[in-house]
Amino acid sequence: MMTEAAKASKLYYGWIVVLIAFLALLVSAGINSIPSVLMLSFEKEFGWDRASVSGALSIKILLYGLMGPFSAALMARFGIRRMMVIAMILLAGSLSLTPLMT
C-alpha cells in the first residue's frame, strides 16, 4: 500500500537525483573551462606566457583523470551523497579563492 505522502507526491525521486547530478556536472564543467576563457587575462595580469598557463591546465587535466579510481573508492566507502556534498563544498571553496590568486 502507498502512504499518503507517496500518493501526494507525483514527482519521482530519481528525477531529483538526475537534476542534482546535472547541476553538479554543469557547475564542474563551468569551473573547468574558466582558465581557458581567462587565458589572455592570466597572461597580462600575472606576466605568464601561454606555455605556463597551458602547462598548468595540462597538469590539472592529468590529475583530474588520475583521481577517478580514488574518488570511486571513496564513494564506495563513504557513500555517494556524502562525497557529492564534500565535492561541491570543495568546488565552491576553490572557486571563491580564485580572486585571491597572486
Side-chain angles (χ1 to χ4, degrees):
M1 295 293 290
M2 295 181 70
T3 64
E4 290 297 321
K7 287 180 184 177
S9 175
K10 299 288 184 185
L11 185 62
Y12 179 62
Y13 182 71
W15 288 114
I16 296 171
V17 173
V18 168
L19 178 67
I20 291 171
F22 173 76
L23 290 175
L25 289 172
L26 188 68
V27 169
S28 178
I31 290 171
N32 281 329
S33 67
I34 286 175
S36 60
V37 172
L38 299 175
M39 187 169 292
L40 294 176
S41 300
F42 284 156
E43 289 177 12
K44 291 177 186 174
E45 181 72 25
F46 300 115
W48 298 340
D49 59 342
R50 192 158 296 191
S52 298
V53 177
S54 297
L57 292 176
S58 298
I59 292 171
K60 178 191 70 101
I61 292 170
L62 175 71
L63 292 175
Y64 185 75
L66 290 176
M67 285 302 298
F70 298 107
S71 63
L74 288 173
M75 285 183 198
R77 181 171 179 162
F78 298 112
I80 294 173
R81 181 179 296 167
R82 183 179 296 169
M83 292 311 298
M84 284 293 290
V85 169
I86 291 171
M88 290 295 111
I89 290 170
L90 285 173
L91 280 173
S94 62
L95 188 61
S96 65
L97 292 175
T98 301
L100 302 177
M101 287 187 346
T102 59

